[in-house]
Amino acid sequence: LADAWTQTPTKWYPLPVAVGALLLIVLQYRRTRRSEKEVHVDEDGQGVVKLKGPWQVHVLGALPLNSLSRVWGFLNSLELPVWFRPFGFKLYSWTFGCNLDEINPPDLTQYASLGEFFYRKLKPGARPVADTVLVSPADGRVLHYGVIRDGRVEQIKGATYSLDALLGVERPGLPPPANVEFHPRDQAEVLDRDFADINGIQYSLHDFLGTPRPPTAEGAPQQEQKEQKPVPTKHGEQTDASVSPDGPLQDVVAHEAGVAAEMGVRPFLERAQGRPAGSVKPEHALFFTVIYLAPGDYHRFHSPTAWVVEKRRHFVGDLFSVSPWMVDKLADVFVLNERVALLGRWKYGFFGMVPVGATNVGSIKINFDQALRTNVATRHRPPVGTFEEAVYTSASPVLRGQPLSKAQEMGGFYLG
Amino acid sequence: STIVLVFEAPQDFEFTVEAGQKIKMGEKLGDL
């Protein structure tokens, strides 16, 4: 080796012009990709968010994380031999702390792949729902929580990121969000002026929205009048003399809009126009909380409260790990990563829920949004800071969005 | 994976969890 190292003559050859040109093209492409990754328009369109952190973060940033995530997902979708499944899943459960007593179905041989096991269901009643206004949407660990001040969300102590960068805002200079053709699987149907049937369950509109029942002409509450007539049990069969001749839908829409306006419960779409970041009603504040799902956790997420999702925004981004270590090291990780922002309202005003993808779980599924596709390989990546948008108004004309009850399953994270 | 919740609520809203605490789906996150 020493002889070869010292005595082998070096002979230089001229590179063909085509190879040199190809090299320049590759270098230019890498430079463009890096600048796209580092520059992220802030809420005022002036600031930028760069990949900031120690050397480990920059090493990870140089890796093709999205491609690795998709390969990981493909490998975990491969069907495992039946004899191996109990052993393999028990090993996985032992390693990551899964509780096999609560999974449904309990027979491990029925999970064809690790991906299927990862997206497992729980037995009915395995997660009792607390009687409170806000419950945890998933199993996990609370990373952080607090109040949002000046439109900035605290990631770790002393470091913040922009709320508008997280949720997205329309602003001049950026291409308009694409309207996605939306085919909701779950439907809400108005039964009469006070009740709606949502996925087979009858809800009082006022209880759902947290708005008071309007008084009748005689001054008696609407609820008392309601109790005098039977609650309709089958769609389209009820007859209600109090409903206007135009039909129950128009009546309920007008009625709900009136109540909502009275209570200041206006749709997010309207409130967002011209609203400075972080502004809320008097005596109100904007709160946030971040919940981290570890690899062994149940990976479906549920509605944390009764609310109406009005729109979703899909941000195509990177897929950095979102482990507590990474959150501590990489500033703006929640703004850089691929995510789906679900925006709407609950009884106290604005409500938003943002599932954020990661390297091992890059795919986000929303049950009521069949058009959503995440972690998809694409030749032309959309400009950073833009998002694909879908509006859920067709899901329920009366509620102007997709209604969700507390603890209702919303979707989940897939491996890869 | 991570879930971020952002919501408007009256100022007397209080979280009933601590940072770093493990939590299950459906458990109380906060109250008024």
Side-chain angles (χ1 to χ4, degrees):
Chain A
L1 280 173
D3 289 345
W5 183 256
T6 54
Q7 295 175 13
T8 302
T10 304
K11 193 173 181 180
W12 295 90
Y13 296 93
L15 278 173
V17 175
V19 174
L22 189 67
L23 183 66
L24 286 174
I25 290 171
V26 169
L27 289 175
Q28 181 62 28
Y29 174 74
R30 284 172 59 86
R31 191 176 297 125
T32 307
R33 287 294 302 271
R34 189 181 300 123
S35 65
E36 281 180 356
K37 185 174 285 189
E38 288 184 348
V39 177
H40 198 113
V41 180
D42 211 344
E43 78 274 11
D44 55 2
Q46 296 173 356
V48 293
V49 176
K50 291 184 178 179
L51 195 63
K52 290 180 289 190
W55 64 269
Q56 297 97 326
V57 166
H58 291 275
V59 169
L60 287 171
L63 296 174
L65 295 174
N66 299 63
S67 301
L68 288 173
S69 178
R70 287 190 287 274
V71 170
W72 176 246
F74 169 75
L75 292 175
N76 285 304
S77 68
L78 297 176
E79 191 166 328
L80 298 170
V82 176
W83 61 266
F84 177 76
R85 294 174 192 173
F87 169 75
F89 296 147
K90 280 179 182 173
L91 179 64
Y92 181 90
S93 303
W94 177 79
T95 307
F96 293 105
C98 312
N99 183 2
L100 295 178
D101 295 331
E102 61 185 18
I103 65 173
N104 186 28
D107 181 8
L108 294 178
T109 59
Q110 294 190 30
Y111 299 92
S113 63
L114 182 59
E116 256 186 47
F117 178 76
F118 188 80
Y119 202 68
R120 61 194 176 273
K121 288 182 177 179
L122 297 182
K123 290 176 182 172
R127 295 283 181 274
V129 180
D131 183 20
T132 183
V133 292
L134 189 69
V135 298
S136 175
D139 287 6
R141 186 192 303 176
V142 179
L143 284 188
H144 204 23
Y145 63 86
V147 179
I148 298 172
R149 303 184 194 283
D150 301 324
R152 307 290 301 182
V153 187
E154 190 173 60
Q155 180 169 321
I156 54 173
K157 197 167 181 61
T160 63
Y161 55 92
S162 161
L163 174 64
D164 281 343
L166 176 73
L167 304 180
V169 289
E170 295 96 351
R171 54 178 174 264
L174 287 176
N179 286 318
V180 177
E181 196 173 341
F182 174 57
H183 302 286
R185 188 184 66 178
D186 301 330
Q187 292 283 346
E189 183 170 344
V190 176
L191 295 179
D192 73 355
R193 61 181 296 145
D194 289 320
F195 282 81
D197 186 307
I198 302 167
N199 305 328
I201 305 171
Q202 290 179 4
Y203 286 90
S204 158
L205 293 177
H206 302 286
D207 291 344
F208 198 92
L209 292 171
T211 54
R213 296 173 182 279
T216 60
E218 295 77 21
Q222 187 87 27
Q223 190 171 10
E224 293 176 11
Q225 186 191 29
K226 185 74 199 172
E227 288 169 357
Q228 294 171 4
K229 57 184 179 183
V231 176
T233 55
K234 210 168 182 181
H235 304 173
E237 288 188 357
Q238 81 284 356
T239 55
D240 186 349
S242 66
V243 174
S244 69
D246 293 332
L249 183 61
Q250 289 82 355
D251 193 65
V252 172
V253 169
H255 173 67
E256 193 267 349
V259 174
E262 184 185 344
M263 296 297 295
V265 187
R266 287 183 293 154
F268 173 76
L269 289 173
E270 294 174 19
R271 290 195 301 114
Q273 290 175 353
R275 181 177 64 89
S279 66
V280 293
K281 287 183 287 189
E283 308 298 323
H284 279 209
L286 271 180
F287 297 85
F288 77 96
T289 185
V290 183
I291 297 171
Y292 166 68
L293 287 71
D297 286 331
Y298 167 66
H299 261 72
R300 296 180 185 229
F301 49 77
H302 296 241
S303 173
T305 188
W307 63 303
V308 177
V309 190
E310 296 177 341
K311 62 201 300 189
R312 69 117 160 105
R313 289 173 173 172
H314 173 211
F315 296 79
V316 177
D318 288 301
L319 284 172
F320 289 100
S321 164
V322 288
S323 66
W325 182 87
M326 196 57 149
V327 170
D328 191 47
K329 299 293 181 206
L330 174 56
D332 302 305
V333 62
F334 299 122
V335 177
L336 290 167
N337 268 22
E338 180 158 3
R339 63 198 181 278
V340 177
L342 300 167
L343 309 176
R345 66 191 192 278
W346 70 327
K347 63 194 296 184
Y348 301 113
F350 169 73
F351 197 93
M353 181 170 170
V354 189
V356 183
T359 317
N360 62 331
V361 279
S363 300
I364 300 167
K365 180 189 176 189
I366 304 295
N367 290 348
F368 52 84
D369 191 338
Q370 306 300 306
L372 177 65
R373 295 285 182 277
T374 57
N375 198 11
V376 176
T378 175
R379 183 173 293 178
H380 301 290
R381 203 170 175 179
V384 178
T386 60
F387 45 82
E388 188 185 61
E389 185 172 277
V391 181
Y392 295 149
T393 48
S394 62
S396 169
V398 65
L399 296 172
R400 289 168 292 171
Q402 173 65 47
L404 295 169
S405 53
K406 191 168 73 175
Q408 180 180 341
E409 186 183 318
M410 294 176 63
F413 296 97
Y414 278 101
L415 276 179
Chain B
S1 44
T2 302
I3 295 174
V4 182
L5 298 181
V6 178
F7 54 93
E8 179 180 352
Q11 288 176 349
D12 55 352
F13 178 87
E14 287 186 358
F15 287 98
T16 53
V17 291
E18 294 295 329
Q21 177 185 331
K22 286 194 172 183
I23 194 167
K24 299 284 187 187
M25 190 280 289
E27 285 184 358
K28 190 175 185 179
L29 201 55
D31 207 350
L32 286 160

